Amino acid sequence: MRIFYGAGHEQFKPSELLRHARLAEEVGFDGIACSDHFQPWWEPGESGHAWPWLGALGASTTKVMIGTAVTPAVRRYHPALVAQAWATLEEMFPGRVFLGFGSGESLNESPLGLDWPSGAEQLELMDEALDMIRRLWNGETVSEGSKHFRTKNAKLHTRPPQSPPLYVSAFNEGAAKVAATYADGLWTVGDPEQAPKMIETYRGAGGKGEIILQALISWAETDDAALEGARKWKGAQPPEYYVEDWHDPQKMYEHAEEEVSDDEFKQKAVISSDPGEHVKRLRALTEMGATSIAIMNCSGADPEGAIRVYGEQVLPALREQ
């Protein structure tokens, strides 16, 4: 069972996240995943760029896997640039890189002038982008591109000996089917109402790769401090934010506070001062079918304390299974 540490660019400055990530490697996490956002889910927040940060992370760690959770190709990024970036990372840090890929959110694309597409078009974009990334990694010259992503004889001139693993994020059955076509694994939220359906669809469509289930976690000395330290992350909870045209962080957070109660938030995230509660909740993800677990550290009260508690108590207990 691999356990990845999640670094939230929305919550902490890049320099802080780098310190957290180094500590996460020291205490025994198997990989580091970071969010890839142009804006945070709330105001005020942070918005460091994931790609240069991953280069710094790779150079300042020695063995952990590194990648994003997750990168889209919609407007901010052309899939050829995504392919180039991850080929470069894999060449520099061979065997340590993965690409987490998703369909994106209006939050990060609309500020760059995009009219947010329908759900069907979002799946089209994902399918076309993943096809192009795979072809470029395989050494093909992509002469004309696709409907949404034009090219003129695009080719990667620096390719590593092997392509990095590609994990596709899915929140709906259409995305799970796309994952089955292109991905080395499915990445989804460890929601007991959603995850089994995503896994079943992925497997039913021929997906044979890993199942990575993600959970938000917050630890502090008291339950109240753990909740308050993670409260900002209510801004990422409403499901409409992942498909509809929501791109004002302040309005998104205000809406989320109205829609998501504290009790509901504590059901969605692992928020507790008790390491045993963290172990119990995360073990449930393996029962859902996870082959890897990815936690996002939302412990605003004491992020480094949370990492140490995980290293001392939570990771060993999870690996006893």
Side-chain angles (χ1 to χ4, degrees):
M1 171 63 67
R2 296 189 306 173
I3 306 170
F4 289 174
Y5 175 84
H9 280 286
E10 308 95 314
Q11 188 171 14
F12 302 104
K13 294 183 184 298
S15 54
E16 292 179 89
L17 285 182
L18 193 58
R19 187 173 66 248
H20 300 169
R22 289 170 179 156
L23 180 59
E25 180 182 52
E26 288 178 19
V27 305
F29 280 92
D30 300 299
I32 310 292
C34 73
S35 51
D36 189 345
H37 282 246
F38 184 75
Q39 296 192 109
W41 301 95
W42 54 78
E43 288 284 8
E46 301 292 339
S47 61
H49 198 297
W51 298 11
W53 188 84
L54 284 173
L57 177 64
S60 58
T61 53
T62 60
K63 58 186 179 181
V64 284
M65 296 286 290
I66 61 173
T68 47
V70 292
T71 293
V74 182
R75 168 60 62 88
R76 283 186 299 156
Y77 305 138
H78 191 287
L81 288 181
V82 177
Q84 182 190 27
W86 263 260
T88 299
L89 286 168
E90 175 64 27
E91 195 282 330
M92 292 192 295
F93 312 113
R96 294 182 52 204
V97 175
F98 64 87
L99 170 60
F101 192 92
S103 58
E105 303 94 17
S106 178
L107 172 70
N108 302 302
E109 309 298 328
S110 293
L112 280 73
L114 178 73
D115 292 328
W116 188 239
S118 67
E121 191 171 343
Q122 290 170 44
L123 285 177
E124 267 188 12
L125 288 157
M126 176 186 272
D127 189 283
E128 290 180 16
L130 288 168
D131 178 69
M132 186 176 295
I133 289 167
R134 282 295 191 195
R135 291 171 63 194
L136 289 167
W137 281 353
N138 288 338
E140 292 185 39
T141 298
V142 183
S143 58
E144 295 181 352
S146 61
K147 174 182 173 183
H148 296 287
F149 302 110
R150 305 303 301 164
T151 61
K152 293 182 180 179
N153 295 324
K155 176 183 177 182
L156 294 183
H157 295 270
T158 295
R159 290 191 303 119
Q162 64 180 23
S163 300
L166 193 164
Y167 306 126
V168 169
S169 171
F171 292 91
N172 62 66
E173 293 181 63
K177 291 175 182 177
V178 172
T181 301
Y182 296 104
D184 298 302
L186 175 76
W187 192 307
T188 192
V189 175
D191 180 341
E193 295 183 3
Q194 175 178 303
K197 183 183 295 184
M198 295 303 101
I199 295 169
E200 181 182 0
T201 301
Y202 172 70
R203 296 296 192 207
K208 296 180 172 61
E210 287 201 62
I211 302 297
I212 303 171
L213 297 185
Q214 180 169 311
L216 301 181
I217 71 96
S218 181
W219 175 90
E221 292 288 348
T222 68
D223 289 351
D224 287 345
L227 174 61
E228 292 308 313
R231 181 173 292 279
K232 291 179 178 180
W233 285 88
K234 275 192 181 185
Q237 300 311 305
E240 58 266 32
Y241 292 174
Y242 296 87
V243 290
E244 298 175 7
D245 186 8
W246 288 84
H247 60 268
D248 183 321
Q250 183 62 37
K251 290 181 179 178
M252 292 171 73
Y253 181 75
E254 292 170 357
H255 175 72
E257 273 286 15
E258 293 175 356
E259 294 292 316
V260 182
S261 70
D262 286 357
D263 286 342
E264 288 172 324
F265 185 41
K266 286 187 284 187
Q267 289 176 1
K268 291 176 178 289
V270 185
I271 300 173
S272 177
S273 60
D274 178 7
E277 180 67 15
H278 288 253
V279 173
K280 176 184 174 182
R281 295 278 301 275
L282 295 177
R283 274 184 175 158
L285 302 187
T286 64
E287 295 169 6
M288 287 184 218
T291 59
S292 296
I293 293 172
I295 63 113
M296 177 64 74
N297 186 8
C298 307
S299 308
D302 188 1
E304 294 186 21
I307 296 167
R308 291 188 177 94
V309 166
Y310 262 68
E312 293 166 2
Q313 300 185 56
V314 179
L315 300 185
L318 290 173
R319 287 173 176 146
E320 285 177 357
Q321 301 181 89

